[in-house]
Amino acid sequence: MGLAAAAAVSTSRLVHHRSDAGLNRQRQHKQLRSCAKPSPLALRRGCRLWPPVAALLPDRHRGEEGAGIVAVGADGKLKSVTGLGLVADVFGDPSRLASLPGPAAIGHVRYSTAGAAASLRNVQPFLAGYRFGQVAVAHNGNLVNYQALRNKLEARGSIFNTSSDTEVILHLIATSLSRPLLSRICDACERLAGAYSLLFLTADKLFAVRDPHGFRPLVLGRRRNGAVAFASETCALDLIDATYECEVEPGEVVVVDRRDMSVSYACLVPHRPRRACVFEHIYFALPNSIVFSHAVHERRTAFGRALAEESPAPGAGVVIPVPDSGFYAALGFARASGLEFQQGLIRWHYSGRSFIQPTQAIRDLAVKLKLAPVHGVIRGKSVVVVDDSLVRGTTSSKIVRLLRDSGAREVHMRIASPPVVGSCLYGIDTPSEGELISNRMDLEGVRREIGSDSLAFLSLDKLHGIYGADAEGYCDACFSRKYPVLPTLPEPVVELED
């Protein structure tokens, strides 16, 4: 699921960029639950006054199935507008955005990893009322104990309206006996397992929460007028001229209070080993973002360089990327190889991202629609094609065929990541290991299946070497099958008696 953003506004001065290291030294956490090393009960206060302005930051590349916004109105009531399709489809009518004025809002774009894809009920943010008022939630990630939690809640009388794992969070908040809402959120998150970057919105507060492993990114920024903004990626902050300030740390909750515009940081749950998703750097994030404190384009360029060192293509004449996410890896490969770099495939915008389309039939059609060969670059050449990853093999086989039909003499496929052999449990949609071509075949089998003259992947050891000592802080379960958090099997529950 793709988290879009939220924003709130103050009249304070601009808060300038600080490194994560400096931030960690300065930040003190209010202890809401027992942490590894309890720190003083302290809050770091922010800025003041919130004029009635809000901003939405749409990271549309993180989801294409649906979009929604929940905003706080002048009367303090939360209002929701959601729809199926791209952000431009849902909010193309100016009247829909005009119906959402107010000082704060959260938005979401849907990429289904749990729950039915084409269902308006599953489009976030979810808005609910409970005995202390209204609360809205937007969620990026995937809960591995969702079904177990849902079974227990339903056995105790909870009624669910969606098939999304996110709805469980609202039920846990509503049934918590703690007060205030921050404590209820902590209670709920203590029972969650898996990946979650969350935004909660009420009439007077905005909460940003990240799971203790930090699987999915979540960043904080500010505009010149003092607006506080959260987003999955820093590229969303760039759209509204907001300055990236810091990551929301794993296991942390950040609270923005509109009444005095204070910003508070608190330890949500005990610290656990950091396990940021390496696939964010490989494919999912945009190259102009900073994710997990690294520039995405620099990481992808490094992947390409390492791939060229490990698996060169002797006799090749030109290196071309699979647009768009293979661009920087191909550039790194070409530079390290001393080969010519060319755009041999042109992507038609906006045909969508084929990997995140919900069905195989739609993915097949998307590949045909989105890529066009540049015959003058390809004809008669031995071509190295660099892609960021090879998951199902559908796109790669069609690209190889397309290049051969365009006159390529040889096609050498190079993949700037290791073979994907395990399903992601934490928010990337690879639900079945039977769909993963590298899980079903060895290297030669995959090469024959996609039809290339040669095939090579970046090795897992080489990938770890790029990250150095930080490699342990990344989840690579889709390559190694080493899952940091395992699914919780539903337990038998005792039904309530009439």
Side-chain angles (χ1 to χ4, degrees), residues 65-275:
E65 296 166 21
I69 303 173
V70 173
V72 179
D75 58 357
K77 300 292 185 182
L78 273 60
K79 182 176 180 181
S80 171
V81 175
T82 60
L84 295 173
L86 299 169
V87 173
D89 299 329
V90 179
F91 295 101
D93 183 352
S95 65
R96 303 201 81 187
L97 275 179
S99 69
L100 293 167
I106 61 175
H108 187 273
V109 289
R110 177 165 173 76
Y111 157 53
S112 58
T113 57
S119 171
L120 184 59
R121 287 187 176 186
N122 287 332
V123 177
Q124 299 182 40
F126 291 158
L127 175 60
Y130 73 123
R131 60 178 176 151
F132 296 112
Q134 292 178 294
V135 61
V137 61
H139 171 208
N140 179 23
N142 206 52
L143 304 179
V144 298
N145 64 338
Y146 153 68
Q147 196 60 56
L149 290 173
R150 177 166 179 157
N151 288 358
K152 290 180 181 179
L153 288 164
E154 287 180 326
R156 295 170 185 170
S158 291
I159 297 174
F160 283 76
N161 294 314
T162 76
S163 56
S164 169
D165 58 346
T166 307
E167 192 178 2
V168 161
I169 301 169
L170 289 174
H171 283 274
L172 292 175
I173 289 172
T175 56
S176 170
L177 300 178
S178 298
R179 292 190 65 182
L181 178 59
L182 179 57
S183 296
R184 287 174 174 263
I185 291 173
C186 291
D187 278 350
C189 289
E190 282 188 338
R191 299 180 65 183
L192 303 180
Y196 53 90
S197 287
L198 300 166
L199 294 176
F200 296 94
L201 181 67
T202 66
D204 56 9
K205 286 188 176 68
L206 182 64
F207 303 83
V209 179
R210 196 162 167 216
D211 71 76
H213 291 288
F215 284 107
R216 298 283 147 226
L218 187 59
V219 295
L220 182 153
R222 291 182 190 259
R223 299 187 68 196
R224 291 186 180 276
N225 64 358
V228 179
F230 297 93
S232 293
E233 296 181 34
T234 59
C235 64
L237 303 178
D238 297 338
L239 292 175
I240 58 166
D241 297 322
T243 299
Y244 167 56
E245 187 174 330
C246 63
E247 279 191 271
V248 176
E249 291 295 314
E252 182 176 61
V253 57
V254 181
V255 186
V256 184
D257 192 325
R258 68 175 286 200
R259 293 170 298 187
D260 61 359
M261 203 47 207
S262 61
V263 179
S264 309
Y265 301 84
C267 177
L268 180 70
V269 292
H271 292 293
R272 294 170 191 165
R274 188 182 180 106
R275 291 293 183 267

Side-chain angles (χ1 to χ4, degrees), residues 13-14 136 148 166 302 340 342 367 400 443 448 466 479 494:
R13 67 185 185 280
L14 174 67
T166 307
E340 181 184 10
Q342 286 278 6
V367 172
V400 171
L443 181 64
R448 287 196 303 267
I466 292 168
F479 308 130
V494 178

